[in-house]
Amino acid sequence: MGRGRLWDLFSSFFVISLVTVGGGAAMIPLVVDFAVERKKWLSEEGMVDCLAVCQSLPGAIIINIATYIGKKTGGLAGALAAALGSVAPAFATIMLVMLFIDRLGGNSHLAGALDGA
């Protein structure tokens, strides 16, 4: 398994997670486009199998799908790369928000918004 394939798995799932709004179910069409149409990682039948298995597992569906596709195409390293790519945008966003919330801790408008949320 080359670094190029691992980077491809990571970056593909990173982009899908970064640009999609609406959660895991909203990401499925993009995953199908990437995994079946563009990259040819899975056949259409393989994607149906992937969705069937991943919906039956506990946890976030996009992480399950990323891990499944990563494992199929790149073994354990591929599963890890794809799973990390799928969670990295959310993790980075949370870290940035926490950085700014810490700096704006005394802001009454922010406190009101957080109380409302």
Side-chain angles (χ1 to χ4, degrees), residues 47-106:
M47 191 68 208
V48 170
D49 292 343
C50 170
L51 291 173
V53 168
C54 292
Q55 286 180 336
S56 67
L57 295 172
I61 192 165
I62 190 61
I63 298 170
N64 294 344
I65 291 171
T67 304
Y68 182 97
I69 293 172
K71 176 77 167 94
K72 283 282 191 186
T73 60
L76 184 59
L80 186 60
L84 287 174
S86 71
V87 299
F91 181 77
T93 301
I94 290 168
M95 295 306 289
L96 284 172
V97 167
M98 292 306 298
L99 176 70
F100 288 111
I101 284 178
D102 215 24
R103 291 183 180 179
L104 299 172

Side-chain angles (χ1 to χ4, degrees), residues 5-86:
R5 173 65 62 93
L6 294 177
W7 175 250
D8 201 18
L9 284 164
F10 177 86
S11 63
S12 294
F13 281 99
F14 184 90
V15 168
I16 290 168
S17 294
L18 184 66
V19 301
T20 308
V21 177
M27 294 178 189
I28 291 173
L30 285 174
V31 171
V32 171
D33 181 53
F34 267 83
V36 177
E37 303 297 328
R38 293 185 195 187
K39 305 290 185 176
K40 308 285 189 214
W41 289 329
L42 296 175
S43 65
E44 287 184 24
E45 185 178 304
M47 191 68 208
V48 170
D49 292 343
C50 170
L51 291 173
V53 168
C54 292
Q55 286 180 336
S56 67
L57 295 172
I61 192 165
I62 190 61
I63 298 170
N64 294 344
I65 291 171
T67 304
Y68 182 97
I69 293 172
K71 176 77 167 94
K72 283 282 191 186
T73 60
L76 184 59
L80 186 60
L84 287 174
S86 71

